[in-house]
Amino acid sequence: MYSTEFSACVCYFFQVVRLSDFGVQGADAKNIFYLREIDDADKLVEVIKAKKNGNALVVGGGYIGLELSAALKINNIDVSMVYPEPWCMPRLFTAELAGFYEGYYANKGIKIIKGTVATGFGTNENGEVTDVKLKDGRVMEADIVVVGVGGRPVTKLFKGQVEEEKGGIKTDGFFKTSVPDVYAVGDVATFPMKLYNEMRRVEHVDHARKSAEQAVKAIFSCEQGNSIDEYDYLPFFYSRAFDLSWQFYGDNVGETVFYGDGSLTSPTHKFGSYWIKDGKVVGAFLEGGTPEENKAIAKVARVQPPAHSLDQLATEGLTFACKV
């Protein structure tokens, strides 16, 4: 939290979920990493250099799990992933989308273990992690462990002082809280999402940057007696790993339609999915898109064109987006 010269305040508080929060034995061992700060990444890089051709176990199948597994493998570390869900990135991916990425990672030599969790860690005389005990009884060798099992907004500092909603600090379309001259931005803010006419909290770097920009603009405009438009955010998520690159825009609710060539032998790896609710396309995902194609699926998510036939939508695929 910091004060500006015009007595306004901007808040951003978010903390990583740790395995010690669940009472996992040995979770405080050395070389177990959580990525939240730049310092965390610097320490992980040093250990990767020190443990050449070592064994890493990545706990979690979300953003951190997928991106760090790829980074570790590229650096000649033997990698295993473990997560309890039936497929990776379950908050966004459909089973069909996840099937491609899991197959791709397996072809890269990454071992994927689903349906179980880490329950304990073994250590050596130096307190460094040596193995990971899984709930299903398996014990995995590991001299590097990376944990990515989520994060949570820290609101307890403001209990009883600011209004809260949906697990975050409630704001308006300018990120003003219920307290005058106090703004909340990023993952901790629950704000009105105009596109869907509801209050939401978004955990992603794109929103973190844009909400901070909106708050600063609002503060300056208020001081100068001007006005700005309310925040009108289109949800946007993306990732890059190995030679893959995907983008998603909109809302992943309703029925889904897979399109394109999602085979592992495809030379292009260009495929995606649409989400359809109430007869309209409300979300769009694309792997391997060009800048123009990514703009096209973003427009689809913003405009929400009608989908008269799911079969036709699957047949048209990316062409549908490019015509909107």
Side-chain angles (χ1 to χ4, degrees):
M1 182 183 292
Y2 63 90
S3 295
T4 72
E5 59 181 1
F6 23 74
S7 301
C9 196
V10 178
C11 315
Y12 181 98
F13 293 90
F14 203 72
Q15 68 180 16
V16 69
V17 173
R18 297 180 177 275
L19 294 182
S20 56
D21 298 341
F22 306 103
V24 176
Q25 183 180 4
D28 58 348
K30 295 178 182 178
N31 297 338
I32 298 179
F33 296 93
Y34 299 82
L35 282 189
R36 185 61 192 165
E37 308 291 343
I38 292 177
D39 185 53
D40 299 329
D42 290 340
K43 290 177 180 177
L44 177 57
V45 169
E46 290 305 311
V47 171
I48 290 173
K49 292 177 180 177
K51 304 286 185 180
K52 290 183 179 179
N53 302 312
N55 296 305
L57 187 128
V58 176
V59 180
Y63 264 111
I64 296 295
L66 288 169
E67 293 185 352
L68 262 295
S69 292
L72 288 161
K73 191 63 182 179
I74 289 170
N75 282 279
N76 299 315
I77 301 293
D78 189 46
V79 182
S80 296
M81 295 179 67
V82 59
Y83 46 90
E85 297 88 358
W87 62 75
C88 64
M89 284 285 284
R91 291 173 62 183
L92 175 60
F93 287 178
T94 64
E96 193 163 8
L97 289 174
F100 169 82
Y101 292 101
E102 289 176 349
Y104 187 96
Y105 274 52
N107 285 348
K108 290 289 187 180
I110 295 173
K111 184 176 183 179
I112 296 177
I113 304 170
K114 298 184 282 187
T116 190
V117 296
T119 58
F121 298 92
T123 59
N124 60 21
E125 62 277 8
N126 297 319
E128 298 175 331
V129 66
T130 56
D131 60 71
V132 184
K133 299 171 180 63
L134 304 183
K135 189 175 183 179
D136 64 8
R138 279 180 279 189
V139 179
M140 310 293 296
E141 289 187 12
D143 37 32
I144 301 173
V145 173
V146 179
V147 182
V149 292
R152 61 171 68 97
V154 181
T155 60
K156 62 183 179 181
L157 295 172
F158 309 103
K159 287 291 183 184
Q161 301 181 67
V162 295
E163 189 174 350
E164 298 178 37
E165 186 170 334
K166 295 184 177 180
I169 298 173
K170 185 179 181 180
T171 74
D172 62 13
F174 308 100
F175 294 96
K176 295 179 183 178
T177 70
S178 58
V179 177
D181 296 329
V182 175
Y183 294 71
V185 301
D187 300 12
V188 77
T190 302
F191 64 96
M193 192 171 287
K194 291 179 64 176
L195 189 59
Y196 307 121
N197 193 32
E198 64 181 48
M199 298 293 290
R200 291 197 183 183
R201 193 174 60 79
V202 176
E203 298 177 11
H204 193 263
V205 63
D206 180 68
H207 162 66
R209 292 167 176 163
K210 290 177 179 176
S211 60
E213 180 181 359
Q214 173 76 353
V216 171
K217 287 180 178 178
I219 293 169
F220 273 102
S221 66
C222 182
E223 287 294 312
Q224 296 167 358
N226 300 322
S227 62
I228 62 171
D229 293 333
E230 290 189 344
Y231 195 57
D232 188 10
Y233 185 67
L234 174 66
F236 169 48
F237 301 91
Y238 64 89
S239 184
R240 295 180 293 272
F242 294 118
D243 61 346
L244 303 175
S245 175
W246 60 259
Q247 294 191 10
F248 168 82
Y249 295 88
D251 214 5
N252 60 325
V253 295
E255 298 180 272
T256 60
V257 168
F258 184 89
Y259 65 87
D261 184 359
S263 66
L264 292 171
T265 56
S266 170
T268 60
H269 300 314
K270 183 166 292 191
F271 60 87
S273 184
Y274 293 117
W275 281 259
I276 302 92
K277 181 181 180 183
D278 299 328
K280 298 185 295 184
V281 180
V282 297
F285 176 101
L286 178 60
E287 167 63 49
T290 65
E292 293 74 20
E293 291 166 341
N294 288 328
K295 287 180 182 178
I297 65 166
K299 185 177 180 181
V300 165
R302 171 70 72 178
V303 174
Q304 300 183 5
H308 301 295
S309 166
L310 299 189
D311 289 338
Q312 182 180 350
L313 186 59
T315 300
E316 289 189 26
L318 189 55
T319 302
F320 173 85
C322 294
K323 293 192 302 183
V324 172

